Amino acid sequence: MDTENVIAATPLFQGLEKRYQKDLARIVIKQTYRRGEMIFAEGDQSKGFYIIATGRVKVFKISPEGKEQILHIFGQGEPFGEVPVFTGQPFPAYAEALAETSTLFFPRDDFIGLVRTEPSLALNMLSVLSMRLKRFTALIEDLSLKEVPGRLAAYLLYLSDRSNGANELDLEISKGQLASILGTIPETLSRILTKMTKEGLISSDGKRHIRIKDRMAIEQLANGEKRLT
Amino acid sequence: MDTENVIAATPLFQGLEKRYQKDLARIVIKQTYRRGEMIFAEGDQSKGFYIIATGRVKVFKISPEGKEQILHIFGQGEPFGEVPVFTGQPFPAYAEALAETSTLFFPRDDFIGLVRTEPSLALNMLSVLSMRLKRFTALIEDLSLKEVPGRLAAYLLYLSDRSNGANELDLEISKGQLASILGTIPETLSRILTKMTKEGLISSDGKRHIRIKDRMAIEQLANGEKRLT
DNA sequence: CGTCGACTTGAGTTAACTCAAATCATGTGG
DNA sequence: CCACATGATTTGAGTTAACTCAAGTCGACG
């Protein structure tokens, strides 16, 4: 897919006049990253933000002991690394490609100039940041107020919603990455998946496929109305 | 302080032309809340957002068992409740006045109209949301990657920074509220304060005043390079 | 078929929780 | 100004979810 088509297909740029989209296409810089490659590090100075043309990127924090907390995994058409564009401060987290990934890089000054002249772009960006705040709010709630089984249950329901209510889920990521999203470690996640299977809430092929067998119980788990025994 | 002066003194409206500030003053609705009064609840439909003229407001999540996680405490001149303005969804958290509080309420549609015509307002709002994202990122990191003593240490350093590096700190809030900010419970916080005092990192009057006695050690705690024994 | 990384399972430890009780602080009415 | 009521904080004792460390087991791929 060429640059202009990527831009046209990106939600952030919906409602933006064609000529501005063309302007954007002219200022972006294409970049590609290999699986595992670092895109930016916490503390790095920022010169702009990214949109994913193809591939996947994880944005995460890491502790001195090496435990990792994934903030979000971004896929096609999603912007990431915007925060420093508007705060003027360094990146507050790390970003790494989870697969071969190509991005469009938008230099900060050009982009801000365009925001000044295009209110719909500003409103789209406000919407993107607001959605992200909402997600983070949910993550904080999970980490602080739910136990790991509840977080996993909420995550399964989230995946199900994304594929409009399906009971057959594809995790799309490794169990290790999932543990890092849920704020736990692979051993704990593994034990909980085993328990949920034994209690008949889910079944699994042991790989990345999971079937929701008792949605009611999973919802109760996610809402803290129930616990695994 | 009258409405126009509050608006003129609010960072969000810096750089906004006088005439737009006057427009704003005309569309806002003044509201006051007593200590403990709920301003909005999670799930409520939003019609706009708030700026604090005087007083303090906590925004928080709560679990079915009643444990509370404070997302942020807002003070004079700070806007809150903006997320639903740009997502169109209900409030993702609760807001409650911590003291007698007066707010200016900005109706959504009027405000969005103004954002469309005033790029500097849009950029200011983008900056506010980005700062908030950064704070939430730090909170997620604390909850997921630090133990409670580390979170407390980070919070003390945050307070110290805010009063440009002072060693004499005023908590400004009750220990119970502080526990809720740190994602723990009052008993645990109390034990940790006792330990930190015994190890000579801080001294306290038992109330809301704390003195940093060993900043180096507190920084190490906050960075996970050290633990309480 | 062997190797490597991902995942699972087992055993032991621990930070933080719950529940209960004691103590302290503050404000009110007498 | 004192005595008590109420709420906040601290302390004690016991429990537990989730962690660490270690040892398998599984699966994909060369």
Side-chain angles (χ1 to χ4, degrees), chain A residues 147-148 184-185 188 191 227:
Chain A
E147 299 178 348
V148 180
T184 188
I185 56 176
T188 298
R191 289 183 234 271
R227 355 183 69 222

Side-chain angles (χ1 to χ4, degrees), chain A residues 25-44:
Chain A
R26 236 169 276 124
I27 63 171
V28 305
I29 301 165
K30 280 196 211 180
Q31 294 172 321
T32 64
Y33 301 90
R34 282 154 311 179
R35 176 188 159 85
E37 193 175 350
M38 179 100 352
I39 299 174
F40 54 74
E42 178 169 355
D44 280 0

